[in-house]
């Protein structure tokens, strides 16, 4: 499956004047505070200090803002070792200053969450921005190295603060209940409640049918009580070994 989203078809409506276009697409101050959704795919950060953002997500800014990529030791020795094992990491930069910062990620839909002493685990590729006061750490699933090459890393958030995550198109949340486990494709899994501890498993029949290199032969298995969020799109960053 291609990792490139389908192109957006051109508008079939009548042409509009330049004045109307500028007025329709103009940035608007909605008074929503630190994080404002300008559109479903543009996030405005009303910066007054520092913000953690995904590397490459800045598309524009107004004011006095400087950007610094996260240092290799900024998350501590434990997270450094997890980066080394996975070949991946939480690719962060710090935006510091005062002004309006506009973020986006390949046209993906943006969801702003306000965590209130709660725990959430998010696929590292789907984290767009979060307050520096929100504690986070890189987590890796058990038996990961035996299943995957290239790595699948997640970021666990515990506490209170604003968090912006992304999804290709509209996400869906599935409830996980005792006796009713949920199985998902890792490439379509965005986030899950922090009390769940998903396991990786292989489907032998799928592995045989699709080939050893198919990500669809590897699945995430959730059991207990909580929820898991999936998107209607497979981002190809996780593949089985031996393909």
């Amino acid at each position: 499956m291609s990792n490139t989203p389908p192109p957006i078809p051109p508008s079939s409506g009548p042409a509009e004047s330049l004045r109307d276009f500028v007025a329709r697409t103009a940035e608007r101050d909605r008074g929503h505070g630190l994080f404002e959704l300008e559109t479903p795919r543009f996030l405005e950060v009303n910066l007054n200090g520092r913000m953690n953002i995904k590397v490459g997500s800045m598309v524009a800014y107004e004011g006095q803002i400087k950007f610094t990529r996260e240092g290799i030791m900024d998350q501590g020795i434990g997270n450094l070792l997890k980066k080394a094992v996975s070949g991946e990491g939480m690719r962060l930069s710090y935006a510091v200053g005062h002004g309006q910062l506009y973020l986006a990620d390949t046209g993906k839909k943006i969801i702003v969450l306000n965590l209130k002493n709660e725990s959430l685990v998010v696929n590292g590729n789907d984290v767009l921005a979060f307050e520096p006061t929100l504690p986070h750490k890189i987590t890796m699933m058990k038996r990961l190295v035996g299943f995957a090459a290239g790595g699948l890393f997640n970021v666990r958030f515990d506490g209170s603060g604003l968090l912006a995550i992304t999804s290709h198109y509209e996400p869906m949340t599935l409830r996980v209940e005792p006796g009713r486990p949920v199985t998902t494709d890792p490439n379509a899994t965005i986030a899950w409640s922090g009390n769940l501890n998903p396991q990786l498993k292989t489907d032998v029949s799928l592995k045989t049918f699709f080939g050893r290199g198919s990500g669809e032969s590897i699945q995430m298995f959730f059991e207990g009580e909580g929820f898991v969020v999936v998107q209607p799109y497979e981002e190809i960053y996780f593949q089985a070994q031996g393909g």
Side-chain angles (χ1 to χ4, degrees), residues 41-43 45 53 57-59 101-105 110 128-129:
R41 292 168 176 79
F42 269 112
L43 176 68
V45 180
I53 67 173
S57 63
M58 186 277 289
V59 294
L101 172 63
Y102 301 97
L103 306 177
D105 185 7
I110 300 170
L128 181 65

Side-chain angles (χ1 to χ4, degrees), residues 89-112:
M90 181 60 201
R91 299 183 302 152
L92 284 179
S93 63
Y94 306 133
V96 181
H98 305 272
Q100 285 69 49
L101 172 63
Y102 301 97
L103 306 177
D105 185 7
T106 62
K108 294 165 70 174
K109 181 180 176 65
I110 300 170
I111 302 103
V112 176

Side-chain angles (χ1 to χ4, degrees), residues 223-243:
E223 61 181 342
E225 187 166 5
F227 62 86
V228 56
V229 185
V230 293
Q231 63 183 0
Y233 185 84
E234 295 180 27
E235 294 187 81
I236 307 304
Y237 45 75
F238 181 78
Q239 293 185 335
Q241 287 182 336

Side-chain angles (χ1 to χ4, degrees), residues 56-85:
S57 63
M58 186 277 289
V59 294
Y61 68 88
E62 299 174 331
Q64 301 297 318
I65 302 176
K66 294 185 178 297
F67 302 90
T68 303
R69 186 158 184 165
E70 180 186 57
I72 193 169
M73 294 298 293
D74 285 9
Q75 295 183 37
I77 291 292
N79 278 335
L80 175 63
L81 292 176
K82 288 168 184 163
K83 286 183 182 182
V85 171

Side-chain angles (χ1 to χ4, degrees), residues 5 35 60 118 122 152 167 187 220:
F35 283 3
E118 296 167 298
V122 184
L152 176 67
S167 169
N187 295 320
M220 295 177 72

Side-chain angles (χ1 to χ4, degrees), residues 46-61:
N46 293 301
L47 189 64
N48 184 21
R50 171 176 149 169
M51 183 61 58
N52 295 334
I53 67 173
K54 183 177 182 177
V55 168
S57 63
M58 186 277 289
V59 294
Y61 68 88

